[in-house]
Structure formats: C-alpha cells, structure tokens
Amino acid sequence: MTNKNWAHQGDIVFVPFTGEVLGAKKQDKVTVGWGEVTGHTHDVHCDDMQVVKTDKGFILVLGSEGRVTHQEHKDIILAPGTYVVEHEREFDWMQMTTREVVD
C-alpha cells in the first residue's frame, strides 16, 4: 500500500514507509507514546493492523483506516498504509544537541 500522508499527534510522528516489514504481529490496539508526567497515552486503534517494535519506536502496517487517540489531543485518522512511528526531535543550537520533544 502506498501512502504519502504523514501525521502527528503531540510529540508522536507518523511517517509513511515503503520498505520491507518483517516480523509484524497482528494487533487491534498499540500504545505508541506515554506521558512521563501525566501517564496519558497515544494509542493507535485499527481492526486490520500489524505492528513491529523497533529501537526508536514502531512500524505500523494499517490494512484499513486507523484512529490515534490521546486524553488531551483531538483524535486523528490514519489512512491505510505503512508508517514509522517515532518521537519528534528538536535540535538545540545553544548546546549543539538533539533531544526528543516532550509533550
């Protein structure tokens, strides 16, 4: 499936992916982000989804439309396709370092 639409919810980014996906497991819900202070979660719900956990996040293969939920953000809809899911990063020019954005 080809999907060119990236999305984000808070500090979680969903980037279209066209590479080969190996070792995916069927799930209908996966938590892709956790709030360190609030305990809130970014959850992806989809009836036809396969998930791979990676070092930096997840790869999601959505066979149908998916919904991303969070207690403090508006739900977003993901089109069918394959996504790499990671935490947004920012560059600190003063310290010359890269860090994850905190939601």
Side-chain angles (χ1 to χ4, degrees):
M1 254 176 254
T2 301
N3 179 22
K4 296 179 181 168
N5 298 319
W6 70 276
H8 73 89
Q9 185 187 63
D11 60 334
I12 303 297
V13 182
F14 299 86
V15 180
F17 179 73
T18 58
E20 186 177 8
V21 179
L22 301 173
K25 296 180 181 175
K26 186 167 178 50
Q27 293 181 235
D28 59 4
K29 176 187 171 193
V30 62
T31 299
V32 297
W34 300 264
E36 295 83 11
V37 176
T38 64
H40 293 162
T41 59
H42 296 270
D43 299 315
V44 180
H45 307 264
C46 181
D47 292 334
D48 185 12
M49 175 172 58
Q50 294 185 22
V51 178
V52 176
K53 175 78 173 100
T54 69
D55 291 342
K56 295 183 179 183
F58 296 87
I59 297 176
L60 307 180
V61 181
L62 305 180
S64 61
E65 191 173 83
R67 177 177 301 276
V68 185
T69 62
H70 184 275
Q71 293 85 347
E72 295 179 330
H73 297 290
K74 181 179 177 183
D75 290 0
I76 62 171
I77 302 298
L78 295 175
T82 303
Y83 298 87
V84 172
V85 183
E86 296 182 350
H87 283 271
E88 188 174 355
R89 302 184 62 75
E90 65 185 3
F91 189 77
D92 183 330
W93 290 97
M94 300 299 279
Q95 296 184 8
M96 300 301 287
T97 59
T98 301
R99 63 179 174 244
E100 287 185 355
V101 173
V102 177
D103 184 18

